[in-house]
Amino acid sequence: MYDSPLPSILVSSVFGVMGLAIALAVLLFIIDHVEPIVERLLGGASFTEWLGNLIGRKTRGLRRRRDDDDGDAGLDASAESLLSILPSASLIVDRDGDVVRANPQSYRLGIVRDDSIVNEKVLETVREVFATGGRQRFDLETETPERFVTASDDDTQSGAGVSPGARPGVRRPNWLKVTVGRVDERHVVVLIDDVSETVRFAQIRDSFIINVSEQLLGPTEALGRLADDLEAGGGNVPDRARIEADAREVRTTSNHLNHMVSDLLLLIKAQEPIVPSAANRLNVMDEVRAVKASLAQRIADFGVDVNVEGDDSLVVNGDSGQIRTALTKLVENAIEYSEPGGYVGVSVEADEMRRHAVIRVIDQGKGIAKREQSRIFERFYRGADQSARTADGVGLGLSIVKHVALTHHGTVAVWSAPGQGSTFTLTLPIAR
């Protein structure tokens, strides 16, 4: 006679229920202790709210994909083909304001984030076109989002090894021409033409012409005064003294002009793109030491102590002439803006991810006013507070540094405060 299996089943069921209860108790205990930590990480939102939002987003995403599939069936095939070959950034939006199709550029240009339009002007125009039909065009200026700045030439951030509190030196806005039109009853297309390079080139051209013209006025006026004095005759002592003064001014302005032409040539050179290869691998510390050696006489003349230290293993891809020019400009500025007996430090280290070489030039000078820090990388910009030691500059040095950083796929930034000196940070990708 066989024993009944019922008691064993009951025992197993009891133990199973007890195990499930214990597991739930442990889970609740963990949530109870972890929730305060999660709330701090989520900026005050509770764990249950975050979980609910997460589930909601997943549900909305699935619903959106289902709606997109239904919408695609209604989207004209010729329109799809046309949009796929358009050179400009484009996106298709449905009546709910959700982005059905989006060119990756629309994210970088600050128009779309998380499959939604985030620019109010574009969103408002989309609604108007849905309501009234037709087509609308307008100009728009946007800022590249921070997450794209990290991987592009426009940005300067701590992930690339920039000092905390450093101000960006190479970020640039986007100038766009936007066209919004209806594709069908359920879809609107937004075409985005990025004209940033054209606008930027026009601004640079106009600024260049104005600034070079102003720089040329000094030498030509001094030469004109000298010519007038010579024509009037220089036999008398007072006249001769005036001629000598004019001649000194001609020499000063000529030196200034020579300095400007030399820096302009360096600026042009600094805009030649760098393609990483085995032939252009450079040891960063070797370049820094070479710059210090080349400035030995200037360092002695100004009576400043320049100390160089860092990681000798860091190697970058680059043009030695360009990198040395950029470093020379940074160290020269640090020397000229330091008091006699002052200290200038140059350090070289890798960032936390060992993806970038970070070169910092630190001085104990008078610092840079906050209102000027956003402009110091502009061509020909000169701060208002210049001394006799810095009066000969033409305002191209930091612009050269900026373009060297850009052509080497790096960044440049500055931290400074009046009376506390300045720290310039040049970040370059480590060679792989």
Side-chain angles (χ1 to χ4, degrees):
M1 187 173 181
Y2 297 101
D3 294 333
S4 172
L6 184 58
S8 60
I9 294 174
L10 289 173
V11 171
S12 300
S13 300
V14 170
F15 277 105
V17 172
M18 290 176 63
L20 180 60
I22 292 171
L24 288 172
V26 171
L27 180 61
L28 291 173
F29 175 81
I30 292 173
I31 291 175
D32 185 56
H33 286 75
V34 169
E35 187 168 10
I37 300 174
V38 173
E39 287 183 8
R40 287 196 298 270
L41 293 175
L42 298 177
S46 70
F47 177 77
T48 52
E49 289 174 348
W50 172 79
L51 187 60
N53 290 335
L54 179 63
I55 295 172
R57 284 199 298 271
K58 294 295 184 183
T59 305
R60 288 195 299 272
L62 290 172
R63 185 169 63 250
R64 181 178 297 172
R65 283 195 293 272
R66 184 172 64 251
D67 294 342
D68 289 348
D69 291 340
D70 294 340
D72 290 345
L75 190 62
D76 187 80
S78 61
E80 283 272 19
S81 301
L82 178 61
L83 290 172
S84 66
I85 62 173
L86 284 174
S88 61
S90 60
L91 54 129
I92 302 175
V93 187
D94 63 18
R95 280 194 171 275
D96 296 327
D98 295 328
V99 176
V100 178
R101 288 283 185 272
N103 185 297
Q105 280 289 89
S106 61
Y107 293 85
R108 189 191 68 79
L109 295 173
I111 302 297
V112 178
R113 183 176 66 237
D114 297 334
D115 297 331
S116 298
I117 297 175
V118 294
N119 185 276
E120 286 298 326
K121 174 64 176 176
V122 175
L123 189 58
E124 179 184 346
T125 307
V126 167
R127 291 168 181 160
E128 290 178 4
V129 169
F130 265 122
T132 62
R135 179 182 61 181
Q136 295 194 31
R137 292 179 176 176
F138 57 93
D139 294 332
L140 184 67
E141 184 175 333
T142 65
E143 192 75 30
T144 303
E146 291 289 343
R147 62 185 182 277
F148 296 106
V149 170
T150 302
S152 73
D153 58 0
D154 282 341
D155 252 26
T156 308
Q157 39 281 337
S158 58
V162 175
S163 303
R167 294 179 62 87
V170 292
R171 289 189 66 185
R172 296 177 295 184
N174 306 304
W175 287 277
L176 314 173
K177 289 187 176 296
V178 182
T179 303
V180 181
R182 184 183 292 180
V183 178
D184 54 35
E185 291 298 321
R186 291 183 295 171
H187 300 96
V188 158
V189 63
V190 181
L191 302 179
I192 307 165
D193 187 14
D194 185 2
V195 295
S196 301
E197 289 303 319
T198 302
V199 173
R200 203 168 285 127
F201 176 79
Q203 291 179 344
I204 291 172
R205 178 198 60 203
D206 295 343
S207 175
F208 178 83
I209 293 172
I210 293 171
N211 283 288
V212 170
S213 300
E214 291 175 350
Q215 295 289 336
L216 289 173
L217 286 177
T220 54
E221 289 175 354
L223 285 171
R225 285 193 295 271
L226 179 60
D228 291 341
D229 290 340
L230 289 174
E231 286 179 352
N236 298 326
V237 174
D239 293 334
R240 184 169 184 82
R242 186 168 64 250
I243 289 173
E244 290 175 353
D246 289 341
R248 284 193 296 270
E249 186 176 355
V250 168
R251 181 180 296 278
T252 299
T253 55
S254 296
N255 290 338
H256 188 79
L257 186 60
N258 288 337
H259 190 175
M260 183 189 71
V261 172
S262 176
D263 276 359
L264 283 172
L265 293 175
L266 290 173
L267 184 62
I268 294 171
K269 177 70 174 176
Q271 298 187 64
E272 296 178 4
I274 300 298
V275 180
S277 70
N280 59 14
R281 294 168 67 91
L282 305 171
N283 183 282
V284 180
M285 284 298 293
D286 287 348
E287 301 301 308
V288 172
R289 292 190 182 104
V291 167
K292 180 182 177 181
S294 69
L295 294 173
Q297 186 59 52
R298 198 171 186 83
I299 292 171
D301 293 342
F302 281 82
V304 176
D305 178 27
V306 178
N307 181 61
V308 173
E309 60 182 12
D311 188 341
D312 280 287
S313 68
L314 299 181
V315 176
V316 300
N317 292 107
D319 180 276
S320 179
Q322 289 191 34
I323 290 178
R324 290 190 185 186
T325 295
L327 293 175
T328 298
K329 293 297 181 184
L330 291 177
V331 176
E332 277 183 340
N333 280 354
I335 294 170
E336 292 174 357
Y337 285 95
S338 296
E339 295 296 328
Y343 171 86
V344 172
V346 184
S347 67
V348 178
E349 61 183 2
D351 65 358
E352 293 180 359
M353 303 297 292
R354 290 198 68 83
R355 294 179 179 176
H356 297 84
V358 182
I359 308 167
R360 293 187 177 91
V361 179
I362 306 168
D363 67 59
Q364 298 174 330
K366 59 185 177 181
I368 305 169
K370 186 175 182 180
R371 66 180 181 277
E372 296 182 341
Q373 291 179 22
S374 62
R375 299 195 60 195
I376 60 175
F377 293 98
E378 296 177 10
R379 290 178 176 88
F380 297 107
Y381 181 77
R382 299 279 288 156
D385 190 13
Q386 299 296 324
S387 65
R389 303 173 72 176
T390 62
D392 190 47
V394 294
L396 287 173
L398 291 178
S399 182
I400 292 170
V401 175
K402 180 184 76 172
H403 283 283
V404 170
L406 289 173
T407 55
H408 285 77
H409 313 286
T411 61
V412 63
V414 62
W415 175 92
S416 187
Q420 300 183 39
S422 303
T423 299
F424 283 86
T425 305
L426 177 63
T427 305
L428 302 172
I430 293 175
R432 301 297 177 186

